[in-house]
Amino acid sequence: MPLEILALVLVAAALVIALVSLWSVRKLKSRIAHIEDAPVVARSLTEQHKVGVVLNPSKNDAERALALLRSVCADSGLEEPLVFETTVEDPGHAMAVDALAAGCTLVVAAGGDGTVREVAEVLAGKDAVMGLLPLGTGNLLARNLDFDVEDLPAAVATALGGAPRDIDAVAITLEGADGSLEEHVFLVIAGIGFDADIMNDTNAELKAKVGHMAYAEAAMRHLPGQRSTVQISLDGGPLQSRKVRSVMIANCGKLQGGVELVPDARVDDGLLDVVVMSPRSVAGWLWIAAKTALRSRRRIPIVDYYQARAVRIVLPEPIGSQLDGDTTGEVVALQAQVRPKALRIRVPQPA
């Protein structure tokens, strides 16, 4: 099939996805509109916590989220939460450190995936509990933990009185071309190559208008491209050379719209799921997209899945990287190690 026809197919598919997403969001909003301003009562408050909230004030629902949180704390007999606002320069790391220093035993991350990751980086391995108010575009951790990301009152109730769950965190060291080393923690997916290019090249203005569909627009532009040579080692084994477009290390695998990019990934199984994608053309990406959309378990030769507790990747040439949707620059090597059940977080109560 000529590339021109493939391009038309991709454009048509993107339009269909956009229309379906718009219809789903409108339907959901109409369903919850009648409870939009309903009072929230915190559930299952079995512990008395000193609450801190790391808040991204630039998010649309930031003020409403804080007002709801304060109201529920007051109604539940908790002290008013301490507020630590993020900045453009720091999306939450120093604020989470300050929250712990102030004696907070429940730290609520109120923002997008970047703020969630920064707070988790500080809390992993600590006694403090993490709450989650998904205010971003992707809200990937919240989706993987079965939050209704459109229901802010329910999220506030969960942050304060949800069921405690211990989940894995992943420690990762990124090596830059200049030999510099950066150590981070991520919770959802780290990646190099295609997915990092998408994150780096997503139009910010378009993202503000259409949300996660802006990622699809960036993906369309990056479908053509050359494969890169990488070397991959699992659990300390020998380095294996591969030609790839993308390598992803997943702690959990659900994306927007319920798409399961990595079906076997579990957030608390003590394992990393490594996805190696090596399509040679746009047709290859269509094949991968069809497999993902249909949730097919049949193996295809341009995607391989592995599980390990530790992953090392060495790159002959610098390549872009991302952690939970945040670009982290070009790297020449990375080392990831799972930290089993290192983070305690509040999740929705079982039905």
Side-chain angles (χ1 to χ4, degrees):
M1 182 181 291
L3 288 181
E4 291 83 0
I5 297 177
L6 284 174
L8 288 174
V9 170
L10 286 171
V11 170
L15 289 173
V16 170
I17 293 171
L19 290 172
V20 170
S21 298
L22 181 60
W23 177 81
S24 298
V25 168
R26 286 183 174 175
K27 181 179 179 182
L28 180 59
K29 285 183 176 179
S30 66
R31 181 173 62 84
I32 66 172
H34 68 283
I35 62 169
E36 185 71 8
D37 297 316
V40 183
V41 179
R43 300 185 290 270
S44 302
L45 280 170
T46 58
E47 303 173 73
Q48 289 296 307
H49 284 286
K50 183 173 183 179
V51 181
V53 54
V54 177
L55 177 71
N56 183 340
S58 70
K59 297 300 182 182
N60 289 337
D61 275 337
E63 291 186 6
R64 179 167 169 256
L66 184 57
L68 285 169
L69 193 68
R70 283 171 168 160
S71 175
V72 174
C73 284
D75 292 344
S76 306
L78 297 174
E79 295 180 15
E80 181 170 328
L82 301 179
V83 180
F84 305 86
E85 292 192 353
T86 67
T87 63
V88 174
E89 296 76 20
D90 186 342
H93 191 279
M95 298 76 192
V97 171
D98 290 344
L100 290 183
C104 297
T105 55
L106 172 60
V107 181
V108 179
D113 289 317
T115 296
V116 171
R117 187 181 65 79
E118 293 285 353
V119 173
E121 189 168 293
V122 174
L123 297 189
K126 304 289 197 309
D127 290 333
V129 181
M130 181 172 168
L132 181 58
L133 295 184
L135 306 181
T137 302
N139 301 313
L140 293 182
L141 181 64
R143 295 176 193 275
N144 279 275
L145 295 174
D146 296 324
F147 278 70
D148 180 347
V149 298
E150 298 289 338
D151 192 340
L152 184 56
V156 170
T158 296
L160 294 173
R165 181 177 178 184
D166 294 332
I167 66 172
D168 301 339
V170 186
I172 188 167
T173 301
L174 305 175
E175 181 179 342
D178 59 357
S180 61
L181 298 177
E182 291 186 9
E183 295 183 353
H184 297 284
V185 164
F186 72 89
L187 300 176
V188 184
I189 297 176
I192 57 170
F194 178 71
D195 56 316
D197 293 338
I198 293 172
M199 303 304 173
N200 188 55
D201 203 27
T202 296
N203 184 292
E205 292 183 2
L206 183 63
K207 182 179 175 181
K209 294 178 181 178
V210 301
H212 66 265
M213 289 306 300
Y215 297 124
E217 186 273 337
M220 296 278 287
R221 288 186 279 112
H222 283 278
L223 285 177
Q226 298 297 314
R227 297 187 300 173
S228 301
T229 298
V230 304
Q231 293 180 306
I232 305 173
S233 167
L234 304 177
D235 288 332
L239 288 166
Q240 302 289 330
S241 184
R242 300 288 300 272
K243 283 189 174 293
V244 307
R245 285 295 308 278
S246 179
V247 180
M248 289 179 285
I249 303 171
N251 190 38
C252 47
K254 186 184 294 184
L255 303 181
Q256 295 96 330
V259 174
E260 291 189 355
L261 181 65
V262 193
D264 291 331
R266 300 290 181 268
V267 76
D268 56 2
D269 62 359
L271 293 171
L272 304 174
D273 288 76
V274 184
V275 185
V276 180
M277 297 184 177
S278 54
R280 295 175 179 268
S281 64
V282 174
W285 285 119
L286 282 173
W287 196 2
I288 293 172
K291 172 181 168 60
T292 303
L294 296 173
R295 301 188 179 186
S296 171
R297 289 282 180 164
R298 179 174 296 180
R299 183 184 180 278
I300 62 176
I302 55 175
V303 180
D304 288 306
Y305 300 88
Y306 307 93
Q307 288 189 323
R309 291 177 174 80
V311 181
R312 177 166 173 76
I313 301 177
V314 178
L315 306 155
E317 299 291 336
I319 192 169
S321 64
Q322 64 87 16
L323 302 178
D324 291 354
D326 286 338
T327 55
T328 43
E330 292 191 334
V331 298
V332 296
L334 63 82
Q335 176 81 34
Q337 175 78 48
V338 68
R339 297 174 61 183
K341 299 186 177 181
L343 181 67
R344 174 157 289 189
I345 188 167
R346 298 281 189 184
V347 301
Q349 293 280 2

